[in-house]
Every structure is written in C-alpha cells, then in structure tokens.
Amino acid sequence: MKVKNKRLEAIRLIISSQQLGSQEELLGALQKEGFSLTQATLSRDMKQLKVAKAATLGGQYIYVLPNETMYKRVSTASSLREMMQVPGFLNISFSGNMGVIKTRPGYASAIAYNIDSSNIPCILGTIAGDDTIFIVVKEGIAPQEVITALSEVVPNMK
C-alpha cells in the first residue's frame, strides 16, 4: 500500500507543478521519476484523486486536482524527488477547537486529503487552500492529542 500512496503523492506533485494535458505526458513524467505503471493503473489513480481537466488562459486543457482552479499553480525547478524529500508541513496553531496548518505552497490540498482519508477521530474536517489548511477539532480535545494523531499522517509534524 505504501507504493500506491507514494505514487498518488507523486501524481499530485507532478500535476501541481507541471502543465500536462494527456495521460501519456503524465505517464512519461512518472517514469522519469522511477514509477512504472500501466495506463489503466494511472487512469484508476486519477479517478481516485478526482483529477479533472481545466482550461488555461492560453486555451489549453491541463490536468488539475480538485478545486485547484481556485489556487495558484506551483512553478518550481525542483525535481519530484526533491519535492517529496522536503516535507510540505511547516507549522500548526490552535484557537479553541479550530486549527490552522501552514504548508509550503501547493502542499495544503495533498496534506488535507491525507488527513481526511485517514479518518482521524478527533478531527471533524478540513478545508484546504494553497498553503493553509483549516481544521475543526472535536470539543474537549487537547491540541497535543491532535498533533499526536496528525503525526501519524503528516510527515515531520511533532
């Protein structure tokens, strides 16, 4: 399962950092990063990630992640390997039963997806922007409990 999670994260990062308009282009980008998969597997992964196509200002259609059309795209010269080695999480702050997680640009959506997919009992839900995640915590849960629970899902959270 870890291979699939790494592959899904790689797809998210590639789509967030490159303008790709076909599965063939995405397969090529994944292969350059060491992922070997079939077009059918890529298609299933894209369906799971709810990848869509959206028009650019130039009229091209490119792959985007859910709600990404509202966020700025990440333009980076970093390779996917470099991006995956550097964690997206920066910090977390709390006020009552609300929390705000700050991330590197382009990482909030992927991290929020991981949090929501993990069904952490003390977290009611998340809303993600480009570099910020808003979380709602169940009443009566201490911030340290939330951090401990999140540390299982969010790399480098302590």
Side-chain angles (χ1 to χ4, degrees), residues 100-154:
V100 174
I101 298 173
K102 290 294 192 177
T103 72
R104 291 178 46 223
Y107 281 76
S109 181
I111 291 173
Y113 175 84
N114 290 341
I115 292 168
D116 290 337
S117 297
S118 297
N119 296 316
I120 299 170
C122 63
I123 296 178
L124 297 175
T126 66
I127 300 173
D130 181 58
D131 61 0
T132 305
I133 304 167
F134 173 76
I135 63 171
V136 178
V137 179
K138 284 187 178 178
E139 293 284 336
I141 305 291
Q144 190 55 50
E145 288 181 66
V146 177
I147 291 170
T148 300
L150 286 172
S151 67
E152 299 293 320
V153 177
V154 181

Side-chain angles (χ1 to χ4, degrees), residues 13-34:
L13 291 171
I14 289 170
I15 289 173
S16 293
S17 64
Q18 299 177 36
Q19 291 192 358
L20 303 172
S22 71
Q23 286 189 8
E24 187 175 288
E25 290 175 326
L26 183 51
L27 268 174
L30 285 163
Q31 287 172 347
K32 284 181 188 175
E33 298 299 334

Side-chain angles (χ1 to χ4, degrees), residues 1 15 48-49 68 83 93 110 120 135 152 158:
M1 193 62 155
I15 289 173
Q48 180 179 343
L49 294 172
E68 191 172 329
M83 290 192 309
S93 302
I120 299 170
I135 63 171
E152 299 293 320
K158 296 173 179 131

